[in-house]
Amino acid sequence: QAQLVESGGGLVQAGGSLRLSCAASGSSFGIDAMAWFRQAPGKQRDLVASITRAGSTNYEDFVKGRFTISRDNAKNTVYLQMNSLKPEDTAVYYCNAQFRTYTNGIRLYWGQGTQVTVSS
């Protein structure tokens, strides 16, 4: 059964750092792109960063230069290193992953989310 499990969230002061991890399991045919999203209270879920299987990355402007996405394909795990955190980074952070299917299609799975709170 496909599953994504996030970890690494918590409470940190402004200017601090956190590293989120998201481990995927249950993939029989491989995982393509993986990504991190976030959702603040009362707001929509927004893309933060994404990474292809080959390691190409994309960042939204509000995290460029502060956050780094990476992955370990052998472990089916994606990471988000967050530095210089700001109170406005406070949100629930979700990872997703594109699992390949036996028909060479794609099925998207989401993790349960991990809370990141940045105090001022």
Side-chain angles (χ1 to χ4, degrees):
Q1 175 132 3
Q3 188 177 15
L4 299 178
V5 178
E6 296 123 334
S7 60
L11 173 64
V12 65
Q13 288 189 332
S17 298
L18 284 174
R19 188 190 193 212
L20 306 183
S21 299
C22 172
S25 60
S27 169
S28 299
F29 303 98
I31 297 175
D32 285 355
M34 304 180 80
W36 287 97
F37 283 71
R38 72 185 188 186
Q39 187 168 20
K43 297 191 176 181
Q44 67 182 21
R45 189 174 297 187
D46 291 324
L47 175 67
V48 174
S50 62
I51 185 167
T52 67
R53 183 171 181 81
S56 295
T57 58
N58 178 69
Y59 297 93
E60 293 301 296
D61 286 345
F62 53 80
V63 301
K64 281 183 180 177
R66 300 189 298 125
F67 291 10
T68 302
I69 189 171
S70 60
R71 65 188 285 173
D72 183 334
N73 290 332
K75 295 181 179 179
N76 284 337
T77 299
V78 62
Y79 306 96
L80 186 68
Q81 177 66 45
M82 306 185 294
N83 298 329
S84 302
L85 283 161
K86 306 174 182 180
E88 52 264 43
D89 293 318
T90 295
V92 177
Y93 283 70
Y94 298 90
C95 68
N96 73 22
Q98 297 176 349
F99 282 56
R100 288 190 176 180
T101 68
Y102 76 100
T103 59
N104 209 31
I106 291 290
R107 183 167 181 179
L108 188 66
Y109 290 93
W110 289 88
Q112 81 287 354
T114 185
Q115 177 70 46
V116 171
T117 302
V118 184
S119 63
S120 58

